[in-house]
PDB file of all heavy atoms in Angstrom:
ATOM      1  N   LEU I  49      78.171  38.536 137.740  1.00 78.00           N
ATOM      2  CA  LEU I  49      78.403  39.900 138.205  1.00 78.00           C
ATOM      3  C   LEU I  49      79.000  40.796 137.119  1.00 78.00           C
ATOM      4  O   LEU I  49      79.023  42.021 137.278  1.00 78.00           O
ATOM      5  CB  LEU I  49      79.308  39.920 139.426  1.00 78.00           C
ATOM      6  CG  LEU I  49      78.724  39.297 140.688  1.00 78.00           C
ATOM      7  CD1 LEU I  49      79.747  39.387 141.827  1.00 78.00           C
ATOM      8  CD2 LEU I  49      77.441  39.949 141.097  1.00 78.00           C
ATOM      9  N   LEU I  50      79.472  40.219 136.042  1.00 73.00           N
ATOM     10  CA  LEU I  50      80.096  41.000 134.984  1.00 73.00           C
ATOM     11  C   LEU I  50      79.179  42.059 134.417  1.00 73.00           C
ATOM     12  O   LEU I  50      79.573  43.194 134.142  1.00 73.00           O
ATOM     13  CB  LEU I  50      80.573  40.092 133.832  1.00 73.00           C
ATOM     14  CG  LEU I  50      81.806  39.272 134.107  1.00 73.00           C
ATOM     15  CD1 LEU I  50      82.063  38.276 132.964  1.00 73.00           C
ATOM     16  CD2 LEU I  50      83.023  40.138 134.341  1.00 73.00           C
ATOM     17  N   GLY I  51      77.903  41.741 134.275  1.00 73.00           N
ATOM     18  CA  GLY I  51      76.931  42.668 133.699  1.00 73.00           C
ATOM     19  C   GLY I  51      76.663  43.889 134.564  1.00 73.00           C
ATOM     20  O   GLY I  51      76.177  44.904 134.076  1.00 73.00           O
ATOM     21  N   LEU I  52      76.997  43.829 135.839  1.00 75.00           N
ATOM     22  CA  LEU I  52      76.778  44.953 136.718  1.00 75.00           C
ATOM     23  C   LEU I  52      77.816  46.061 136.527  1.00 75.00           C
ATOM     24  O   LEU I  52      77.580  47.207 136.904  1.00 75.00           O
ATOM     25  CB  LEU I  52      76.797  44.516 138.188  1.00 75.00           C
ATOM     26  CG  LEU I  52      75.687  43.597 138.634  1.00 75.00           C
ATOM     27  CD1 LEU I  52      75.917  43.145 140.080  1.00 75.00           C
ATOM     28  CD2 LEU I  52      74.341  44.313 138.532  1.00 75.00           C
ATOM     29  N   ALA I  53      78.939  45.734 135.950  1.00 69.00           N
ATOM     30  CA  ALA I  53      80.021  46.720 135.850  1.00 69.00           C
ATOM     31  C   ALA I  53      79.696  47.831 134.863  1.00 69.00           C
ATOM     32  O   ALA I  53      79.942  48.997 135.169  1.00 69.00           O
ATOM     33  CB  ALA I  53      81.323  46.035 135.418  1.00 69.00           C
ATOM     34  N   ALA I  54      79.144  47.526 133.728  1.00 67.00           N
ATOM     35  CA  ALA I  54      78.893  48.545 132.704  1.00 67.00           C
ATOM     36  C   ALA I  54      77.991  49.666 133.215  1.00 67.00           C
ATOM     37  O   ALA I  54      78.332  50.838 133.011  1.00 67.00           O
ATOM     38  CB  ALA I  54      78.301  47.901 131.470  1.00 67.00           C
ATOM     39  N   PRO I  55      76.880  49.388 133.897  1.00 71.00           N
ATOM     40  CA  PRO I  55      76.044  50.500 134.361  1.00 71.00           C
ATOM     41  C   PRO I  55      76.490  51.091 135.714  1.00 71.00           C
ATOM     42  O   PRO I  55      75.761  51.892 136.317  1.00 71.00           O
ATOM     43  CB  PRO I  55      74.658  49.872 134.485  1.00 71.00           C
ATOM     44  CG  PRO I  55      74.932  48.437 134.813  1.00 71.00           C
ATOM     45  CD  PRO I  55      76.206  48.112 134.082  1.00 71.00           C
ATOM     46  N   GLY I  56      77.666  50.715 136.205  1.00 72.00           N
ATOM     47  CA  GLY I  56      78.146  51.260 137.470  1.00 72.00           C
ATOM     48  C   GLY I  56      77.591  50.560 138.682  1.00 72.00           C
ATOM     49  O   GLY I  56      77.555  51.120 139.765  1.00 72.00           O
ATOM     50  N   GLY I  57      77.140  49.319 138.520  1.00 81.00           N
ATOM     51  CA  GLY I  57      76.547  48.578 139.616  1.00 81.00           C
ATOM     52  C   GLY I  57      77.545  47.960 140.572  1.00 81.00           C
ATOM     53  O   GLY I  57      77.173  47.397 141.595  1.00 81.00           O
ATOM     54  N   LEU I  58      78.836  48.038 140.234  1.00 86.00           N
ATOM     55  CA  LEU I  58      79.889  47.512 141.125  1.00 86.00           C
ATOM     56  C   LEU I  58      80.596  48.706 141.769  1.00 86.00           C
ATOM     57  O   LEU I  58      80.936  49.675 141.101  1.00 86.00           O
ATOM     58  CB  LEU I  58      80.897  46.700 140.357  1.00 86.00           C
ATOM     59  CG  LEU I  58      80.436  45.387 139.756  1.00 86.00           C
ATOM     60  CD1 LEU I  58      81.577  44.724 139.018  1.00 86.00           C
ATOM     61  CD2 LEU I  58      79.879  44.470 140.819  1.00 86.00           C
ATOM     62  N   PHE I  59      80.816  48.601 143.057  1.00 90.00           N
ATOM     63  CA  PHE I  59      81.514  49.649 143.798  1.00 90.00           C
ATOM     64  C   PHE I  59      82.670  49.006 144.563  1.00 90.00           C
ATOM     65  O   PHE I  59      82.430  48.119 145.397  1.00 90.00           O
ATOM     66  CB  PHE I  59      80.547  50.351 144.773  1.00 90.00           C
ATOM     67  CG  PHE I  59      81.129  51.600 145.370  1.00 90.00           C
ATOM     68  CD1 PHE I  59      81.032  52.807 144.708  1.00 90.00           C
ATOM     69  CD2 PHE I  59      81.750  51.571 146.594  1.00 90.00           C
ATOM     70  CE1 PHE I  59      81.570  53.970 145.241  1.00 90.00           C
ATOM     71  CE2 PHE I  59      82.277  52.715 147.154  1.00 90.00           C
ATOM     72  CZ  PHE I  59      82.187  53.918 146.485  1.00 90.00           C
ATOM     73  N   VAL I  60      83.866  49.406 144.239  1.00 90.00           N
ATOM     74  CA  VAL I  60      85.043  48.877 144.935  1.00 90.00           C
ATOM     75  C   VAL I  60      85.180  49.590 146.260  1.00 90.00           C
ATOM     76  O   VAL I  60      85.232  50.829 146.314  1.00 90.00           O
ATOM     77  CB  VAL I  60      86.315  49.106 144.108  1.00 90.00           C
ATOM     78  CG1 VAL I  60      87.564  48.736 144.928  1.00 90.00           C
ATOM     79  CG2 VAL I  60      86.276  48.301 142.827  1.00 90.00           C
ATOM     80  N   ILE I  61      85.205  48.833 147.326  1.00 93.00           N
ATOM     81  CA  ILE I  61      85.529  49.407 148.638  1.00 93.00           C
ATOM     82  C   ILE I  61      87.012  49.098 148.830  1.00 93.00           C
ATOM     83  O   ILE I  61      87.401  47.964 149.036  1.00 93.00           O
ATOM     84  CB  ILE I  61      84.633  48.846 149.736  1.00 93.00           C
ATOM     85  CG1 ILE I  61      83.188  49.284 149.450  1.00 93.00           C
ATOM     86  CG2 ILE I  61      85.113  49.348 151.104  1.00 93.00           C
ATOM     87  CD1 ILE I  61      82.171  48.933 150.485  1.00 93.00           C
ATOM     88  N   GLY I  62      87.805  50.168 148.706  1.00 91.00           N
ATOM     89  CA  GLY I  62      89.253  50.023 148.749  1.00 91.00           C
ATOM     90  C   GLY I  62      89.783  49.640 150.105  1.00 91.00           C
ATOM     91  O   GLY I  62      90.670  48.813 150.234  1.00 91.00           O
ATOM     92  N   ASP I  63      89.201  50.200 151.158  1.00 92.00           N
ATOM     93  CA  ASP I  63      89.634  49.878 152.500  1.00 92.00           C
ATOM     94  C   ASP I  63      88.645  50.436 153.520  1.00 92.00           C
ATOM     95  O   ASP I  63      87.980  51.439 153.262  1.00 92.00           O
ATOM     96  CB  ASP I  63      91.017  50.466 152.800  1.00 92.00           C
ATOM     97  CG  ASP I  63      91.844  49.568 153.712  1.00 92.00           C
ATOM     98  OD1 ASP I  63      91.277  48.699 154.386  1.00 92.00           O
ATOM     99  OD2 ASP I  63      93.080  49.756 153.727  1.00 92.00           O
ATOM    100  N   ILE I  64      88.568  49.759 154.636  1.00 93.00           N
ATOM    101  CA  ILE I  64      87.821  50.204 155.784  1.00 93.00           C
ATOM    102  C   ILE I  64      88.808  50.156 156.941  1.00 93.00           C
ATOM    103  O   ILE I  64      89.302  49.090 157.303  1.00 93.00           O
ATOM    104  CB  ILE I  64      86.604  49.286 156.088  1.00 93.00           C
ATOM    105  CG1 ILE I  64      85.682  49.221 154.895  1.00 93.00           C
ATOM    106  CG2 ILE I  64      85.874  49.784 157.338  1.00 93.00           C
ATOM    107  CD1 ILE I  64      84.616  48.149 155.011  1.00 93.00           C
ATOM    108  N   LEU I  65      89.137  51.304 157.485  1.00 92.00           N
ATOM    109  CA  LEU I  65      90.110  51.372 158.575  1.00 92.00           C
ATOM    110  C   LEU I  65      89.402  51.728 159.864  1.00 92.00           C
ATOM    111  O   LEU I  65      88.813  52.806 159.975  1.00 92.00           O
ATOM    112  CB  LEU I  65      91.162  52.426 158.262  1.00 92.00           C
ATOM    113  CG  LEU I  65      91.907  52.243 156.930  1.00 92.00           C
ATOM    114  CD1 LEU I  65      92.721  53.443 156.593  1.00 92.00           C
ATOM    115  CD2 LEU I  65      92.758  50.983 156.983  1.00 92.00           C
ATOM    116  N   VAL I  66      89.404  50.791 160.791  1.00 89.00           N
ATOM    117  CA  VAL I  66      88.744  50.965 162.082  1.00 89.00           C
ATOM    118  C   VAL I  66      89.666  50.492 163.197  1.00 89.00           C
ATOM    119  O   VAL I  66      90.599  49.731 162.968  1.00 89.00           O
ATOM    120  CB  VAL I  66      87.403  50.213 162.135  1.00 89.00           C
ATOM    121  CG1 VAL I  66      86.390  50.763 161.171  1.00 89.00           C
ATOM    122  CG2 VAL I  66      87.594  48.735 161.911  1.00 89.00           C
TER     123      VAL I  66
END
Side-chain angles (χ1 to χ4, degrees):
L49 293 179
L50 287 172
L52 293 175
L58 293 179
F59 191 85
V60 172
I61 296 185
D63 214 342
I64 302 169
L65 304 169
V66 295

